[in-house]
Amino acid sequence: MQKDRIVPGAGAPRRVVRIVQDRHGDRIEIFDPPFYRKEFEDAYRFIIDSYTVPPREIALFLPCAVRKPYSQSPSHRLFRRIIDGVLAPEDYHIVVFGTCGTVPAELEGMYPYRNYHYMLGKTTDERVRRDFHRIEVYRLKGYLEKTRDTYRHRLAYCIGPFRKAMVEAAEETGIAVDLLPSDPMIERLYDIDCPFPEGSLSMQGYIDEFREGLERLAGRIYAGETTALEGCPERRGPVRA
């Protein structure tokens, strides 16, 4: 395994800390945490200070992916198939969040969002995980505040550290964000013996709840209702990482 290889390029040099293989057998170089890097903060400030987010009925927050662009990753292809089977394109806006920060999906090709590889789940350094939470809450809060009047409904499909950050950001801004999968489903699929006990968002139980939640939300929107998603109340209290 190759470690600590310095890769020059735009922005600060990147340090390769690990090489992994994806499900297709392709080698992927894993870099230092992107959320520390200046170019990610600069891109985030551009989005918050200058970018006009298109108004939509629904904001769908999806976690970032190792494969870039995000929309071409196996997980996002699956998520988008489900979304497009339920919602009309003009009614929703996808926002990608996580180690990348908070990124409107249409900006996925912008530097630096196509130019990093990082897996928070592989990190055992608690300082790095705490820093991620702090930085991500700050970035999510900024995006939620910026788009307070841009969307009528918000749904985040996430587990683990991304979910914890979203919960805190929603609570601190007072902006309701529905969460899927549900707590009971996470408890049902939780496996303490697995490297990632909460599993993957591509697992069938999670996917079924995602589709059902979108269908309930679509029913309310197309009926002209604006109340919270049935079965998906705003999350309060601690969330297991």
Side-chain angles (χ1 to χ4, degrees):
M1 180 182 300
Q2 185 174 2
K3 289 187 178 181
D4 297 340
R5 186 169 68 85
I6 303 301
V7 179
R14 298 166 294 173
R15 185 169 61 97
V16 177
V17 296
R18 186 181 298 110
I19 295 178
V20 299
Q21 283 190 335
D22 67 12
R23 60 188 294 180
H24 304 288
D26 297 328
R27 289 160 56 88
I28 298 176
E29 294 180 332
I30 304 300
F31 299 137
D32 277 336
F35 39 87
Y36 290 130
R37 300 175 61 81
K38 182 179 183 298
E39 55 263 46
F40 282 84
E41 178 63 14
D42 290 345
Y44 169 75
R45 290 314 323 170
F46 164 76
I47 292 166
I48 297 301
D49 298 334
S50 303
Y51 184 66
T52 300
V53 178
R56 292 289 189 273
E57 283 284 324
I58 309 164
L60 297 176
F61 291 86
L62 300 178
C64 56
V66 172
R67 184 178 288 268
K68 311 298 185 300
Y70 307 119
S71 61
Q72 299 306 305
S73 70
S75 59
H76 277 240
R77 285 175 182 262
L78 173 60
F79 302 157
R80 285 170 178 260
R81 283 199 302 271
I82 293 168
I83 294 166
D84 288 338
V86 176
L87 297 172
E90 63 270 18
D91 288 334
Y92 70 86
H93 182 223
I94 292 176
V95 184
V96 180
F97 78 108
T99 58
C100 59
T102 307
V103 187
E106 65 272 18
L107 300 182
E108 68 175 8
M110 185 178 86
Y111 180 81
Y113 299 120
R114 285 191 65 157
N115 302 86
Y116 77 100
H117 299 292
Y118 182 71
M119 299 172 68
L120 183 67
K122 296 282 189 180
T123 300
T124 58
D125 188 328
E126 286 303 316
R127 179 187 62 82
V128 172
R129 296 178 73 87
R130 287 194 303 269
D131 286 350
F132 162 76
H133 180 79
R134 172 179 53 82
I135 295 168
E136 184 63 9
V137 169
Y138 144 71
R139 289 176 175 162
L140 280 170
K141 285 170 57 180
Y143 189 86
L144 290 174
E145 291 285 8
K146 174 185 175 71
T147 58
R148 182 180 290 272
D149 300 319
T150 304
Y151 315 116
R152 293 175 66 190
H153 303 268
R154 297 162 186 83
L155 172 63
Y157 186 53
C158 51
I159 53 179
F162 293 5
R163 188 181 183 100
K164 291 181 68 173
M166 180 62 79
V167 167
E168 187 168 328
E171 290 180 341
E172 292 191 11
T173 58
I175 296 173
V177 179
D178 294 312
L179 293 175
L180 286 174
S182 67
D183 287 346
M185 181 61 70
I186 294 173
E187 291 288 342
R188 196 179 98 189
L189 297 182
Y190 194 88
D191 187 348
I192 193 66
D193 295 323
C194 289
F196 302 102
E198 290 182 334
S200 160
L201 286 171
S202 298
M203 293 168 64
Q204 193 60 52
Y206 292 158
I207 287 295
D208 289 344
E209 274 207 334
F210 186 42
R211 181 184 294 106
E212 292 164 4
L214 290 171
E215 289 171 349
R216 290 194 297 268
L217 181 56
R220 292 184 179 277
I221 287 170
Y222 300 144
E225 298 182 20
T226 59
T227 52
L229 213 167
E230 181 182 351
C232 301
E234 181 181 356
R235 182 66 175 270
R236 300 290 181 184
V239 182
R240 177 166 51 195

mmCIF file of all heavy atoms in Angstrom, residues 110-142:
data_model
loop_
_atom_site.group_PDB
_atom_site.id
_atom_site.type_symbol
_atom_site.label_atom_id
_atom_site.label_comp_id
_atom_site.label_asym_id
_atom_site.label_seq_id
_atom_site.Cartn_x
_atom_site.Cartn_y
_atom_site.Cartn_z
ATOM 1 N N MET A 110 -17.544 21.616 -10.609
ATOM 2 C CA MET A 110 -16.712 22.769 -10.287
ATOM 3 C C MET A 110 -15.541 22.346 -9.398
ATOM 4 O O MET A 110 -15.689 21.478 -8.531
ATOM 5 C CB MET A 110 -17.577 23.819 -9.557
ATOM 6 C CG MET A 110 -16.882 25.121 -9.271
ATOM 7 S SD MET A 110 -18.003 26.317 -8.444
ATOM 8 C CE MET A 110 -17.805 25.827 -6.732
ATOM 9 N N TYR A 111 -14.377 22.967 -9.625
ATOM 10 C CA TYR A 111 -13.246 22.711 -8.732
ATOM 11 C C TYR A 111 -13.583 23.277 -7.354
ATOM 12 O O TYR A 111 -14.133 24.372 -7.269
ATOM 13 C CB TYR A 111 -11.978 23.395 -9.283
ATOM 14 C CG TYR A 111 -10.768 23.162 -8.404
ATOM 15 C CD1 TYR A 111 -10.051 21.970 -8.490
ATOM 16 C CD2 TYR A 111 -10.371 24.113 -7.467
ATOM 17 C CE1 TYR A 111 -8.960 21.739 -7.668
ATOM 18 C CE2 TYR A 111 -9.284 23.881 -6.642
ATOM 19 C CZ TYR A 111 -8.584 22.703 -6.743
ATOM 20 O OH TYR A 111 -7.516 22.466 -5.930
ATOM 21 N N PRO A 112 -13.304 22.563 -6.280
ATOM 22 C CA PRO A 112 -12.532 21.316 -6.167
ATOM 23 C C PRO A 112 -13.385 20.056 -6.042
ATOM 24 O O PRO A 112 -12.870 19.016 -5.646
ATOM 25 C CB PRO A 112 -11.763 21.549 -4.868
ATOM 26 C CG PRO A 112 -12.758 22.283 -4.008
ATOM 27 C CD PRO A 112 -13.538 23.179 -4.959
ATOM 28 N N TYR A 113 -14.668 20.126 -6.374
ATOM 29 C CA TYR A 113 -15.570 19.025 -6.039
ATOM 30 C C TYR A 113 -15.352 17.761 -6.865
ATOM 31 O O TYR A 113 -15.836 16.690 -6.480
ATOM 32 C CB TYR A 113 -17.019 19.508 -6.131
ATOM 33 C CG TYR A 113 -17.286 20.635 -5.173
ATOM 34 C CD1 TYR A 113 -17.707 21.879 -5.639
ATOM 35 C CD2 TYR A 113 -17.073 20.481 -3.804
ATOM 36 C CE1 TYR A 113 -17.933 22.923 -4.753
ATOM 37 C CE2 TYR A 113 -17.292 21.523 -2.927
ATOM 38 C CZ TYR A 113 -17.724 22.743 -3.395
ATOM 39 O OH TYR A 113 -17.933 23.785 -2.529
ATOM 40 N N ARG A 114 -14.658 17.863 -7.986
ATOM 41 C CA ARG A 114 -14.313 16.661 -8.750
ATOM 42 C C ARG A 114 -12.875 16.224 -8.500
ATOM 43 O O ARG A 114 -12.404 15.265 -9.114
ATOM 44 C CB ARG A 114 -14.492 16.907 -10.252
ATOM 45 C CG ARG A 114 -15.931 16.921 -10.703
ATOM 46 C CD ARG A 114 -16.057 16.901 -12.203
ATOM 47 N NE ARG A 114 -15.552 15.652 -12.784
ATOM 48 C CZ ARG A 114 -15.916 15.189 -13.960
ATOM 49 N NH1 ARG A 114 -16.785 15.862 -14.697
ATOM 50 N NH2 ARG A 114 -15.422 14.061 -14.421
ATOM 51 N N ASN A 115 -12.186 16.913 -7.607
ATOM 52 C CA ASN A 115 -10.737 16.738 -7.501
ATOM 53 C C ASN A 115 -10.275 16.268 -6.131
ATOM 54 O O ASN A 115 -9.214 16.664 -5.666
ATOM 55 C CB ASN A 115 -10.043 18.063 -7.845
ATOM 56 C CG ASN A 115 -10.398 18.556 -9.230
ATOM 57 O OD1 ASN A 115 -11.400 19.238 -9.410
ATOM 58 N ND2 ASN A 115 -9.588 18.212 -10.213
ATOM 59 N N TYR A 116 -11.077 15.439 -5.478
ATOM 60 C CA TYR A 116 -10.647 14.917 -4.178
ATOM 61 C C TYR A 116 -11.235 13.523 -3.990
ATOM 62 O O TYR A 116 -12.229 13.160 -4.614
ATOM 63 C CB TYR A 116 -11.109 15.831 -3.037
ATOM 64 C CG TYR A 116 -12.576 15.668 -2.696
ATOM 65 C CD1 TYR A 116 -12.982 14.902 -1.598
ATOM 66 C CD2 TYR A 116 -13.572 16.236 -3.489
ATOM 67 C CE1 TYR A 116 -14.323 14.729 -1.301
ATOM 68 C CE2 TYR A 116 -14.907 16.066 -3.197
ATOM 69 C CZ TYR A 116 -15.279 15.304 -2.101
ATOM 70 O OH TYR A 116 -16.614 15.125 -1.820
ATOM 71 N N HIS A 117 -10.600 12.755 -3.151
ATOM 72 C CA HIS A 117 -11.121 11.464 -2.727
ATOM 73 C C HIS A 117 -10.854 11.341 -1.237
ATOM 74 O O HIS A 117 -9.719 11.486 -0.791
ATOM 75 C CB HIS A 117 -10.436 10.304 -3.460
ATOM 76 C CG HIS A 117 -10.628 10.336 -4.942
ATOM 77 N ND1 HIS A 117 -11.850 10.116 -5.537
ATOM 78 C CD2 HIS A 117 -9.764 10.586 -5.951
ATOM 79 C CE1 HIS A 117 -11.724 10.224 -6.843
ATOM 80 N NE2 HIS A 117 -10.473 10.502 -7.125
ATOM 81 N N TYR A 118 -11.910 11.068 -0.482
ATOM 82 C CA TYR A 118 -11.738 10.957 0.967
ATOM 83 C C TYR A 118 -12.868 10.101 1.517
ATOM 84 O O TYR A 118 -14.004 10.170 1.042
ATOM 85 C CB TYR A 118 -11.755 12.328 1.631
ATOM 86 C CG TYR A 118 -11.526 12.259 3.124
ATOM 87 C CD1 TYR A 118 -10.271 11.927 3.629
ATOM 88 C CD2 TYR A 118 -12.563 12.489 4.021
ATOM 89 C CE1 TYR A 118 -10.050 11.836 4.996
ATOM 90 C CE2 TYR A 118 -12.354 12.401 5.390
ATOM 91 C CZ TYR A 118 -11.108 12.069 5.867
ATOM 92 O OH TYR A 118 -10.892 11.973 7.214
ATOM 93 N N MET A 119 -12.557 9.288 2.534
ATOM 94 C CA MET A 119 -13.552 8.421 3.162
ATOM 95 C C MET A 119 -13.515 8.639 4.668
ATOM 96 O O MET A 119 -12.634 8.126 5.363
ATOM 97 C CB MET A 119 -13.272 6.954 2.818
ATOM 98 C CG MET A 119 -13.340 6.659 1.320
ATOM 99 S SD MET A 119 -12.778 4.986 0.899
ATOM 100 C CE MET A 119 -14.078 3.997 1.639
ATOM 101 N N LEU A 120 -14.467 9.416 5.163
ATOM 102 C CA LEU A 120 -14.508 9.696 6.602
ATOM 103 C C LEU A 120 -14.704 8.422 7.408
ATOM 104 O O LEU A 120 -14.172 8.291 8.510
ATOM 105 C CB LEU A 120 -15.644 10.690 6.893
ATOM 106 C CG LEU A 120 -15.763 11.144 8.345
ATOM 107 C CD1 LEU A 120 -14.558 11.988 8.757
ATOM 108 C CD2 LEU A 120 -17.061 11.933 8.557
ATOM 109 N N GLY A 121 -15.456 7.470 6.848
ATOM 110 C CA GLY A 121 -15.727 6.242 7.575
ATOM 111 C C GLY A 121 -14.493 5.422 7.870
ATOM 112 O O GLY A 121 -14.508 4.574 8.769
ATOM 113 N N LYS A 122 -13.405 5.655 7.125
ATOM 114 C CA LYS A 122 -12.158 4.925 7.360
ATOM 115 C C LYS A 122 -11.301 5.602 8.433
ATOM 116 O O LYS A 122 -10.258 5.066 8.828
ATOM 117 C CB LYS A 122 -11.346 4.860 6.066
ATOM 118 C CG LYS A 122 -12.011 4.087 4.939
ATOM 119 C CD LYS A 122 -11.890 2.606 5.137
ATOM 120 C CE LYS A 122 -12.367 1.834 3.913
ATOM 121 N NZ LYS A 122 -12.241 0.372 4.103
ATOM 122 N N THR A 123 -11.722 6.772 8.903
ATOM 123 C CA THR A 123 -10.915 7.551 9.828
ATOM 124 C C THR A 123 -11.177 7.125 11.267
ATOM 125 O O THR A 123 -12.326 7.098 11.714
ATOM 126 C CB THR A 123 -11.234 9.056 9.681
ATOM 127 O OG1 THR A 123 -10.955 9.455 8.340
ATOM 128 C CG2 THR A 123 -10.397 9.885 10.636
ATOM 129 N N THR A 124 -10.119 6.822 11.982
ATOM 130 C CA THR A 124 -10.242 6.471 13.399
ATOM 131 C C THR A 124 -9.781 7.599 14.311
ATOM 132 O O THR A 124 -9.932 7.501 15.524
ATOM 133 C CB THR A 124 -9.424 5.203 13.708
ATOM 134 O OG1 THR A 124 -8.048 5.435 13.357
ATOM 135 C CG2 THR A 124 -9.952 4.015 12.922
ATOM 136 N N ASP A 125 -9.228 8.657 13.728
ATOM 137 C CA ASP A 125 -8.735 9.790 14.506
ATOM 138 C C ASP A 125 -9.938 10.603 15.006
ATOM 139 O O ASP A 125 -10.639 11.246 14.223
ATOM 140 C CB ASP A 125 -7.826 10.652 13.632
ATOM 141 C CG ASP A 125 -7.118 11.753 14.409
ATOM 142 O OD1 ASP A 125 -7.686 12.265 15.384
ATOM 143 O OD2 ASP A 125 -5.995 12.118 14.020
ATOM 144 N N GLU A 126 -10.167 10.589 16.311
ATOM 145 C CA GLU A 126 -11.334 11.283 16.863
ATOM 146 C C GLU A 126 -11.242 12.795 16.693
ATOM 147 O O GLU A 126 -12.259 13.472 16.580
ATOM 148 C CB GLU A 126 -11.505 10.927 18.342
ATOM 149 C CG GLU A 126 -12.041 9.528 18.562
ATOM 150 C CD GLU A 126 -13.383 9.305 17.856
ATOM 151 O OE1 GLU A 126 -14.255 10.196 17.939
ATOM 152 O OE2 GLU A 126 -13.547 8.251 17.228
ATOM 153 N N ARG A 127 -10.037 13.329 16.662
ATOM 154 C CA ARG A 127 -9.899 14.776 16.440
ATOM 155 C C ARG A 127 -10.405 15.146 15.053
ATOM 156 O O ARG A 127 -11.122 16.139 14.877
ATOM 157 C CB ARG A 127 -8.436 15.204 16.591
ATOM 158 C CG ARG A 127 -8.219 16.709 16.348
ATOM 159 C CD ARG A 127 -6.736 17.051 16.343
ATOM 160 N NE ARG A 127 -6.033 16.380 15.270
ATOM 161 C CZ ARG A 127 -6.005 16.830 14.010
ATOM 162 N NH1 ARG A 127 -6.653 17.930 13.668
ATOM 163 N NH2 ARG A 127 -5.320 16.173 13.088
ATOM 164 N N VAL A 128 -10.050 14.339 14.054
ATOM 165 C CA VAL A 128 -10.507 14.604 12.692
ATOM 166 C C VAL A 128 -12.019 14.497 12.617
ATOM 167 O O VAL A 128 -12.689 15.327 11.987
ATOM 168 C CB VAL A 128 -9.845 13.630 11.699
ATOM 169 C CG1 VAL A 128 -10.466 13.760 10.298
ATOM 170 C CG2 VAL A 128 -8.346 13.892 11.628
ATOM 171 N N ARG A 129 -12.599 13.517 13.275
ATOM 172 C CA ARG A 129 -14.053 13.352 13.247
ATOM 173 C C ARG A 129 -14.758 14.518 13.944
ATOM 174 O O ARG A 129 -15.805 14.989 13.474
ATOM 175 C CB ARG A 129 -14.441 12.010 13.876
ATOM 176 C CG ARG A 129 -13.909 10.812 13.089
ATOM 177 C CD ARG A 129 -14.272 9.499 13.759
ATOM 178 N NE ARG A 129 -15.679 9.184 13.600
ATOM 179 C CZ ARG A 129 -16.189 8.531 12.560
ATOM 180 N NH1 ARG A 129 -15.396 8.142 11.565
ATOM 181 N NH2 ARG A 129 -17.466 8.272 12.502
ATOM 182 N N ARG A 130 -14.189 14.987 15.055
ATOM 183 C CA ARG A 130 -14.764 16.155 15.732
ATOM 184 C C ARG A 130 -14.654 17.395 14.860
ATOM 185 O O ARG A 130 -15.596 18.192 14.778
ATOM 186 C CB ARG A 130 -14.065 16.394 17.076
ATOM 187 C CG ARG A 130 -14.415 15.391 18.158
ATOM 188 C CD ARG A 130 -13.963 15.881 19.519
ATOM 189 N NE ARG A 130 -12.531 16.159 19.562
ATOM 190 C CZ ARG A 130 -11.621 15.261 19.918
ATOM 191 N NH1 ARG A 130 -11.982 14.026 20.254
ATOM 192 N NH2 ARG A 130 -10.329 15.587 19.949
ATOM 193 N N ASP A 131 -13.519 17.548 14.204
ATOM 194 C CA ASP A 131 -13.346 18.710 13.322
ATOM 195 C C ASP A 131 -14.329 18.656 12.163
ATOM 196 O O ASP A 131 -14.897 19.676 11.772
ATOM 197 C CB ASP A 131 -11.917 18.768 12.784
ATOM 198 C CG ASP A 131 -10.917 19.219 13.833
ATOM 199 O OD1 ASP A 131 -11.341 19.674 14.915
ATOM 200 O OD2 ASP A 131 -9.694 19.115 13.565
ATOM 201 N N PHE A 132 -14.514 17.451 11.598
ATOM 202 C CA PHE A 132 -15.493 17.339 10.517
ATOM 203 C C PHE A 132 -16.867 17.801 10.989
ATOM 204 O O PHE A 132 -17.556 18.567 10.301
ATOM 205 C CB PHE A 132 -15.605 15.898 10.010
ATOM 206 C CG PHE A 132 -16.870 15.670 9.233
ATOM 207 C CD1 PHE A 132 -17.007 16.143 7.939
ATOM 208 C CD2 PHE A 132 -17.970 15.038 9.828
ATOM 209 C CE1 PHE A 132 -18.190 15.983 7.235
ATOM 210 C CE2 PHE A 132 -19.153 14.872 9.127
ATOM 211 C CZ PHE A 132 -19.262 15.351 7.829
ATOM 212 N N HIS A 133 -17.292 17.340 12.155
ATOM 213 C CA HIS A 133 -18.619 17.694 12.661
ATOM 214 C C HIS A 133 -18.752 19.206 12.826
ATOM 215 O O HIS A 133 -19.739 19.797 12.384
ATOM 216 C CB HIS A 133 -18.877 16.989 13.992
ATOM 217 C CG HIS A 133 -20.220 17.296 14.576
ATOM 218 N ND1 HIS A 133 -21.373 16.692 14.148
ATOM 219 C CD2 HIS A 133 -20.598 18.186 15.540
ATOM 220 C CE1 HIS A 133 -22.404 17.165 14.826
ATOM 221 N NE2 HIS A 133 -21.965 18.077 15.674
ATOM 222 N N ARG A 134 -17.757 19.808 13.423
ATOM 223 C CA ARG A 134 -17.799 21.262 13.653
ATOM 224 C C ARG A 134 -17.878 22.019 12.329
ATOM 225 O O ARG A 134 -18.709 22.932 12.173
ATOM 226 C CB ARG A 134 -16.559 21.683 14.442
ATOM 227 C CG ARG A 134 -16.369 23.180 14.579
ATOM 228 C CD ARG A 134 -15.127 23.489 15.396
ATOM 229 N NE ARG A 134 -13.939 22.829 14.894
ATOM 230 C CZ ARG A 134 -13.199 23.286 13.892
ATOM 231 N NH1 ARG A 134 -13.551 24.399 13.244
ATOM 232 N NH2 ARG A 134 -12.107 22.638 13.504
ATOM 233 N N ILE A 135 -17.030 21.653 11.385
ATOM 234 C CA ILE A 135 -16.983 22.366 10.107
ATOM 235 C C ILE A 135 -18.254 22.108 9.296
ATOM 236 O O ILE A 135 -18.814 23.020 8.687
ATOM 237 C CB ILE A 135 -15.730 21.948 9.309
ATOM 238 C CG1 ILE A 135 -14.471 22.404 10.053
ATOM 239 C CG2 ILE A 135 -15.750 22.533 7.898
ATOM 240 C CD1 ILE A 135 -13.183 21.797 9.516
ATOM 241 N N GLU A 136 -18.734 20.862 9.314
ATOM 242 C CA GLU A 136 -19.923 20.550 8.528
ATOM 243 C C GLU A 136 -21.170 21.221 9.087
ATOM 244 O O GLU A 136 -22.030 21.679 8.329
ATOM 245 C CB GLU A 136 -20.113 19.032 8.450
ATOM 246 C CG GLU A 136 -21.267 18.597 7.562
ATOM 247 C CD GLU A 136 -21.080 18.977 6.102
ATOM 248 O OE1 GLU A 136 -19.982 19.430 5.720
ATOM 249 O OE2 GLU A 136 -22.039 18.806 5.331
ATOM 250 N N VAL A 137 -21.289 21.290 10.406
ATOM 251 C CA VAL A 137 -22.433 21.993 10.997
ATOM 252 C C VAL A 137 -22.421 23.459 10.573
ATOM 253 O O VAL A 137 -23.450 24.026 10.187
ATOM 254 C CB VAL A 137 -22.430 21.855 12.533
ATOM 255 C CG1 VAL A 137 -23.448 22.810 13.158
ATOM 256 C CG2 VAL A 137 -22.739 20.422 12.941
ATOM 257 N N TYR A 138 -21.243 24.071 10.621
ATOM 258 C CA TYR A 138 -21.114 25.472 10.200
ATOM 259 C C TYR A 138 -21.534 25.649 8.745
ATOM 260 O O TYR A 138 -22.283 26.590 8.413
ATOM 261 C CB TYR A 138 -19.668 25.919 10.428
ATOM 262 C CG TYR A 138 -19.091 26.871 9.412
ATOM 263 C CD1 TYR A 138 -19.506 28.194 9.345
ATOM 264 C CD2 TYR A 138 -18.105 26.434 8.516
ATOM 265 C CE1 TYR A 138 -18.958 29.064 8.400
ATOM 266 C CE2 TYR A 138 -17.562 27.294 7.579
ATOM 267 C CZ TYR A 138 -17.987 28.611 7.521
ATOM 268 O OH TYR A 138 -17.456 29.464 6.591
ATOM 269 N N ARG A 139 -21.118 24.741 7.865
ATOM 270 C CA ARG A 139 -21.446 24.878 6.441
ATOM 271 C C ARG A 139 -22.919 24.569 6.169
ATOM 272 O O ARG A 139 -23.554 25.241 5.349
ATOM 273 C CB ARG A 139 -20.517 23.998 5.601
ATOM 274 C CG ARG A 139 -19.093 24.547 5.581
ATOM 275 C CD ARG A 139 -18.112 23.679 4.841
ATOM 276 N NE ARG A 139 -16.805 24.336 4.770
ATOM 277 C CZ ARG A 139 -15.670 23.718 4.506
ATOM 278 N NH1 ARG A 139 -15.659 22.408 4.282
ATOM 279 N NH2 ARG A 139 -14.530 24.397 4.472
ATOM 280 N N LEU A 140 -23.460 23.596 6.847
ATOM 281 C CA LEU A 140 -24.881 23.304 6.681
ATOM 282 C C LEU A 140 -25.743 24.451 7.211
ATOM 283 O O LEU A 140 -26.746 24.824 6.581
ATOM 284 C CB LEU A 140 -25.244 22.002 7.397
ATOM 285 C CG LEU A 140 -24.895 20.707 6.660
ATOM 286 C CD1 LEU A 140 -25.077 19.513 7.580
ATOM 287 C CD2 LEU A 140 -25.742 20.546 5.405
ATOM 288 N N LYS A 141 -25.377 25.002 8.336
ATOM 289 C CA LYS A 141 -26.125 26.137 8.875
ATOM 290 C C LYS A 141 -26.132 27.295 7.878
ATOM 291 O O LYS A 141 -27.180 27.917 7.637
ATOM 292 C CB LYS A 141 -25.534 26.593 10.204
ATOM 293 C CG LYS A 141 -25.849 25.687 11.368
ATOM 294 C CD LYS A 141 -25.042 26.045 12.605
ATOM 295 C CE LYS A 141 -25.243 27.473 13.037
ATOM 296 N NZ LYS A 141 -24.452 27.787 14.250
ATOM 297 N N GLY A 142 -24.987 27.578 7.290
ATOM 298 C CA GLY A 142 -24.906 28.661 6.325
ATOM 299 C C GLY A 142 -25.793 28.413 5.123
ATOM 300 O O GLY A 142 -26.474 29.325 4.638
#
